[in-house]
């Protein structure tokens, strides 16, 4: 059974350890702008949410890539083939969640690749706000409930 990243925003303290762990895992440096996860904090309501690629089943980034550089790995992660990528950034524009970014320093498209099945953000999150779980019916139900809460929060903040 596939595994998914599950978020528990109520446990996130906005420490951003996940961002540091991610950038170090991929680039051997602590540089949050190179991280595949970004923590968004709404201080007015006291909520922080780590955001990363949602590994969509029907991913817009895959559909718009003109050279087929983004594919789904056997771990269920959307992976960018850097040798094939022409850096047109169409995937950035297509992602409805803004979870694909471009790192100008390394000149790479960056998105969560689940660290080949052992996500660094999960290993180093001190509060277990990010977990890597089997995609059971119960896990998916909980994930959808969080998504609904997140949607409400975004609507409240956006008003």
């Amino acid at each position: 059974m596939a595994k998914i990243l599950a978020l528990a925003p109520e446990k996130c303290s906005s420490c951003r350890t996940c961002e540091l762990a991610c950038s170090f895992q991929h680039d051997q440096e602590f540089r949050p702008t190179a991280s595949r996860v970004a923590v968004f904090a709404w201080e007015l309501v006291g909520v922080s949410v780590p955001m990363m690629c949602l590994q969509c089943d029907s991913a817009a980034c895959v559909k718009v890539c003109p050279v087929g550089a983004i594919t789904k790995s056997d771990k269920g992660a959307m992976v960018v083939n850097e040798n094939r990528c022409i850096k047109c950034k169409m995937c950035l524009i297509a992602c409805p969640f803004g979870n694909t970014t471009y790192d100008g320093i390394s000149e790479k498209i960056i998105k969560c690749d689940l660290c080949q099945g052992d996500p660094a953000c999960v290993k180093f999150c001190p509060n277990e706000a990010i977990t890597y779980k089997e995609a059971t019916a119960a896990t998916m139900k909980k994930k959808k409930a969080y998504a609904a809460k997140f949607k409400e929060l975004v609507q409240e903040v956006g008003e």
Side-chain angles (χ1 to χ4, degrees):
M1 180 173 285
K3 293 179 90 173
I4 60 170
L5 288 174
L7 307 176
E10 75 278 4
K11 294 182 178 179
C12 181
S13 64
S14 197
C15 68
R16 301 181 187 270
T17 301
C18 54
E19 294 176 354
L20 298 175
C22 178
S23 65
F24 192 79
Q25 173 76 22
H26 289 89
D27 297 317
Q28 288 70 57
E29 62 181 324
F30 295 112
R31 189 166 55 89
T33 57
S35 176
R36 281 82 176 147
V37 58
V39 175
F40 291 91
W42 286 271
E43 293 175 6
L44 287 176
V45 291
V47 174
S48 298
V49 181
M51 298 290 296
M52 68 284 285
C53 177
L54 301 178
Q55 316 300 342
C56 301
D57 288 333
S58 180
C61 60
V62 172
K63 291 178 183 174
V64 300
C65 182
V67 295
I70 303 173
T71 56
K72 196 164 214 168
S73 75
D74 61 339
K75 302 288 184 192
M78 294 297 168
V79 179
V80 178
N81 180 330
E82 293 173 12
N83 294 325
R84 181 174 277 193
C85 179
I86 59 173
K87 299 164 187 70
C88 66
K89 303 176 189 166
M90 291 298 292
C91 53
L92 276 71
I93 297 166
C95 179
F97 308 103
N99 290 333
T100 300
T101 57
Y102 179 75
D103 178 23
I105 293 174
S106 66
E107 299 180 339
K108 293 180 191 173
I109 299 295
I110 55 175
K111 62 191 295 116
C112 176
D113 61 2
L114 301 174
C115 298
Q116 290 76 46
D118 190 20
C121 58
V122 172
K123 285 193 291 191
F124 291 96
C125 179
N127 302 318
E128 298 181 350
I130 307 171
T131 53
Y132 194 51
K133 298 179 173 182
E134 296 290 334
T136 63
T139 302
M140 296 307 288
K141 184 177 178 181
K142 187 174 181 181
K143 190 169 182 157
K144 286 180 181 176
Y146 275 122
K149 285 183 184 178
F150 184 69
K151 180 181 174 186
E152 289 174 20
L153 175 65
V154 168
Q155 288 173 337
E156 286 178 24
V157 172
E159 294 176 355

